[in-house]
Amino acid sequence: MPAMSTLTSRWFPSHERASAIGICMGGFHLGNVVGLLLTPIMLSTIGISGPFILFSSLGLLWLSTWTSKVTNDPCNSPFVSKSELRLIQAGKSDSVKKRNPPSLRHLLSKLPSWTVIIANITNNWGYFVLLSWMPIYFNTVFNVNLKQAAWFSAVPWGTMAVSGYMAGKASDSLIKAGYSLTLVRKIMQSIGFIGPGVSLLCLNYAKSPAVAAVLITIALSLSSFSQAGYLLNIQEIAPDCAGFLHGIANSAGTLAAIISTIGTGYFVQWLGSFQAFLTVTAGLYFVTTIFWNLYSTGERVF
């Protein structure tokens, strides 16, 4: 993921990055769809080794293509024409002044860095709770068997791939129309957190698995607007060390994902129901939205 931030900042002009991220993350979400649908089938037919063999083989196939085709910079790629290279370089306003990479202490001394880190924590908390626990949620709350629950859980990820791309296109259009980067990032991130928060609160009142699936689909679809929010903001506040800052934010976010995924069962038992835990998660979305709008910026900081 940090490498993706570094490469998109080098390979795309600033007014096309949101669309590029939308396409990249579309693959991320569609991978969840494939995993959720194929894994139960393979477990029941091939056994527990089936998913590991298939997904590792796909990874090795992708890696062989990646290492032979991709370069660090478009200047070094044989697949980029001179006219395309000029277009990329003309749209990279953040490449005019190169600066020395900041230290970790300096990165953490600025509030815009913390807006990105905390946004990643909140995003991963909600994302991995929904990814890991939704089949169990449908099974526990609505008595849907796990194979059927996989289908209910897979649909939202497919729509998330589409909505993420739409968010990217909308973001790029607003920037081309003259709106400031700061305003666009605040709008996109607010949609990406308030939308899921409201949807999770409404989920408390769902009376059927179909209604619950619709609300979860809305929650995840709107959360993909974060791709045009904090995920892109990393490249704007720290263009020369986007991978470094993304790595820091991703480490914090991964820790949050571990805590939320492992701890959900304990939280549900402690709070008394899935609904109470979903309310707590919604509250986390809302608080982070306030922090984001107070201290985030689209201007270069490092």
Side-chain angles (χ1 to χ4, degrees):
M1 297 291 279
M4 185 181 73
S5 279
T6 300
L7 286 172
T8 51
S9 69
R10 292 176 181 175
W11 273 81
F12 296 94
S14 56
H15 63 274
E16 292 183 357
R17 286 179 191 163
S19 299
I21 288 288
I23 294 172
C24 292
M25 294 302 293
F28 186 92
H29 304 313
L30 290 174
N32 288 327
V33 174
V34 173
L36 283 165
L37 295 181
L38 288 186
T39 298
I41 297 172
M42 288 188 290
L43 289 174
S44 60
T45 55
I46 303 174
I48 197 165
S49 61
F52 292 97
I53 294 171
L54 175 63
F55 298 137
S56 60
S57 299
L58 290 174
L60 290 171
L61 179 62
W62 168 84
L63 181 63
S64 63
T65 304
W66 174 267
T67 53
S68 62
K69 303 293 184 183
V70 177
T71 59
N72 287 333
D73 195 283
C75 296
N76 303 320
S77 174
F79 305 104
V80 177
S81 65
K82 291 183 178 179
S83 59
E84 185 181 7
L85 184 60
R86 284 194 297 270
L87 179 66
I88 294 171
Q89 293 174 334
K92 290 167 63 176
S93 58
D94 52 30
S95 64
V96 176
K97 281 175 68 177
K98 292 288 184 181
R99 306 179 185 178
N100 293 326
S103 65
L104 175 60
R105 182 176 181 178
H106 184 47
L107 269 175
L108 297 181
S109 69
K110 304 294 183 181
L111 279 172
S113 295
W114 283 103
T115 62
V116 167
I117 293 169
I118 293 173
N120 203 5
I121 288 172
T122 301
N123 183 73
N124 280 22
W125 178 284
Y127 185 93
F128 284 99
V129 164
L130 292 172
L131 175 65
S132 304
W133 280 89
M134 278 307 100
I136 307 299
Y137 168 80
F138 282 109
N139 179 254
T140 303
V141 176
F142 298 109
N143 295 315
V144 176
N145 69 57
L146 288 178
K147 188 172 284 189
Q148 290 175 315
W151 283 94
F152 278 111
S153 304
V155 171
W157 305 108
T159 60
M160 198 175 181
V162 176
S163 63
Y165 176 70
M166 292 172 60
K169 291 295 290 184
S171 175
D172 286 341
S173 296
L174 288 172
I175 292 169
K176 289 177 184 176
Y179 291 92
S180 71
L181 282 174
T182 299
L183 178 61
V184 173
R185 295 297 165 247
K186 287 185 176 182
I187 291 172
M188 293 296 149
Q189 192 57 59
S190 295
I191 296 172
F193 278 171
I194 293 175
V198 172
S199 299
L200 292 183
L201 290 179
C202 293
L203 190 59
N204 290 333
Y205 303 98
K207 301 300 182 184
S208 70
V211 172
V214 169
L215 289 170
I216 292 170
T217 299
I218 293 172
L220 286 170
S221 295
L222 293 177
S223 75
S224 65
F225 277 70
S226 292
Q227 296 167 193
Y230 83 87
L231 197 60
L232 266 175
N233 191 235
I234 293 171
Q235 301 172 26
E236 291 156 356
I237 65 174
D240 293 338
C241 58
F244 184 31
L245 180 56
H246 196 153
I248 296 167
N250 222 33
S251 295
T254 302
L255 181 60
I258 293 169
I259 293 171
S260 67
T261 303
I262 295 175
T264 297
Y266 296 102
F267 286 125
V268 169
Q269 186 176 15
W270 177 48
L271 296 170
S273 67
F274 261 110
Q275 284 81 356
F277 179 66
L278 293 174
T279 301
V280 171
T281 301
L284 183 61
Y285 277 123
F286 297 146
V287 171
T288 305
T289 302
I290 295 171
F291 184 74
W292 174 267
N293 281 286
L294 286 174
Y295 300 113
S296 66
T297 179
E299 302 300 319
R300 182 170 182 167
V301 178
F302 304 102

